[in-house]
C-alpha cells in the first residue's frame, strides 16, 4: 500500500487504507483498537487518524509499549528500484519493498510476534 505521507493530496486514501488494514489485523488477533483524531489536522489539511492498539493478557503484568509508523517515503521505479517499490519482491533470498525496514515492516513485525 503506497502510504506516502509526504504527498497527502495523492495518498491520504492510501494511508487510511493502511491504517484500516492494520486495525483489522489487530482485531483479528484479539486486540483492542481505537482511532484517535490527529490533533495536528485541520479542515484545510486533514491528517489520518492515530491508531492505538492493545493486547491485554494479564493486567497485573508489566506493560510493553511499542510505537511505530505505517507511512513511507515516496518511491518510483525510476529512482533506481529494480522492481515496483510498492510490491514486496524476493530476490536472492532478500525482500525488497518500500517500507520493509522503515518503518512499516518493523511496526507490523510486532503483530507477527503476537500472532
Amino acid at each position: 500500500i503506497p502510504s506516502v505521507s509526504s504527498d497527502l493530496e495523492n495518498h491520504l486514501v492510501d494511508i487510511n487504507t493502511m491504517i484500516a488494514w492494520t486495525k483489522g489485523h489487530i482485531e483479528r488477533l484479539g486486540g483492542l483498537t481505537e482511532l484517535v483524531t490527529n490533533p495536528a489536522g485541520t479542515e484545510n489539511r486533514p491528517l489520518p487518524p492515530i491508531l492505538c492498539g492493545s493486547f491485554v493478557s494479564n493486567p497485573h503484568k508489566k506493560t510493553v509499549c511499542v510505537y511505530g509508523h505505517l507511512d513511507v517515503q515516496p518511491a518510483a521505479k525510476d529512482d533506481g528500484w529494480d522492481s515496483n517499490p510498492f510490491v514486496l519482491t524476493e530476490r536472492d533470498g532478500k525482500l525488497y519493498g518500500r517500507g520493509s525496514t522503515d518503518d512499516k515492516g518493523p511496526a507490523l513485525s510486532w503483530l507477527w510476534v503476537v500472532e
Side-chain angles (χ1 to χ4, degrees):
I1 299 171
S3 52
V4 179
S5 61
S6 63
D7 185 4
L8 289 176
E9 186 175 316
N10 293 309
H11 291 284
L12 183 57
V13 170
D14 296 320
I15 295 168
N16 286 328
T17 298
M18 186 68 223
I19 290 170
W21 182 92
T22 307
K23 179 180 184 294
H25 195 71
I26 291 170
E27 291 169 352
R28 281 189 297 282
L29 294 174
L32 305 173
T33 62
E34 178 183 2
L35 292 176
V36 179
T37 300
N38 191 321
T42 66
E43 190 173 311
N44 294 332
R45 187 170 189 265
L47 294 175
I50 298 165
L51 171 61
C52 298
S54 62
F55 296 91
V56 180
S57 62
N58 184 336
H60 302 291
K61 290 187 175 183
K62 293 183 179 184
T63 298
V64 174
C65 179
V66 177
Y67 170 83
H69 59 90
L70 302 170
D71 64 320
V72 297
Q73 293 299 309
K77 194 165 180 193
D78 59 2
D79 290 337
W81 288 80
D82 292 329
S83 56
N84 181 333
F86 294 104
V87 174
L88 190 62
T89 305
E90 182 178 358
R91 283 192 309 276
D92 300 322
K94 297 178 183 174
L95 296 175
Y96 295 86
R98 176 52 97 199
S100 59
T101 60
D102 179 23
D103 188 45
K104 197 182 289 189
L108 295 177
S109 70
W110 286 102
L111 296 179
W112 295 320
V113 168
V114 170
E115 196 170 336

